[in-house]
Amino acid sequence: MRVAIRGQPNVYTVPVVYSGRPFVQELSDWSQLMKGTDSPAIRIGAWRVDATREQISKDGATVKLERRSMQLLLCLAEQPGQILSVEQLLDRVWAGVVVTPDSVYHAVASLRSILGDDTREPTYITNIPRRGYSLVAPVAPDRKSVV
């Protein structure tokens, strides 16, 4: 369940159980990625990413992403070029949910397919064997915000 914190409409508290110990984790609304810009959307490579609507668009085509796929994409976009381990992705995207690393593998494969990425010559998400995943596409604010 998501509960808005009074005075902070874009921050939610989510109870999480990790290693048997409960704690509260604050999650910023993904639109906070572009705080200080006029646009709630970002560009990742050729794609326009609208986190609010959980959709991406390119060349006039729009694709609605599943929530976890969008969270995964934005998690990678927060640190472009940085390697995020499977454990880090599980902690951030699947917080509080008991899943195996297979969930990450399947989500990345699905996201690559949607983005039209090639695992042999990646232009969006690359796999660093035994270390994790990295977003290799450029990330920038979307200057042509469509409201």
Side-chain angles (χ1 to χ4, degrees):
M1 179 184 296
R2 300 172 98 179
V3 180
I5 299 172
R6 187 179 186 120
Q8 297 180 350
N10 292 330
V11 178
Y12 301 91
T13 58
V14 179
V16 179
V17 177
Y18 182 75
S19 300
R21 297 185 326 227
F23 65 96
V24 175
Q25 177 183 9
E26 289 185 1
L27 298 174
S28 293
D29 185 350
W30 291 111
S31 64
Q32 290 298 308
L33 271 174
M34 300 319 307
K35 188 175 182 180
T37 68
D38 294 333
S39 173
I42 60 173
R43 293 205 74 81
I44 298 177
W47 290 91
R48 180 181 186 275
V49 179
D50 186 339
T52 307
R53 293 186 176 106
E54 295 183 343
Q55 64 188 24
I56 60 174
S57 55
K58 178 177 95 167
D59 300 331
T62 300
V63 178
K64 177 92 170 146
L65 294 181
E66 293 178 7
R67 180 158 295 193
R68 297 254 190 245
S69 294
M70 179 59 78
Q71 289 174 338
L72 175 63
L73 180 60
L74 294 171
C75 185
L76 291 167
E78 284 180 337
Q79 300 176 53
Q82 300 296 313
I83 300 168
L84 296 174
S85 70
V86 171
E87 292 78 21
Q88 288 173 303
L89 294 171
L90 284 170
D91 288 345
R92 301 223 18 232
V93 178
W94 286 268
V97 180
V98 178
V99 293
T100 66
D102 285 341
S103 297
V104 176
Y105 308 147
H106 290 292
V108 168
S110 173
L111 199 49
R112 281 178 169 156
S113 176
I114 292 167
L115 295 171
D117 208 5
D118 181 1
T119 58
R120 292 190 178 124
E121 293 182 35
T123 55
Y124 288 95
I125 302 171
T126 188
N127 177 2
I128 296 80
R130 296 181 201 40
R131 295 192 54 209
Y133 296 96
S134 178
L135 185 72
V136 294
V139 178
D142 181 42
R143 300 291 181 208
K144 300 177 192 172
S145 181
V146 179
V147 180

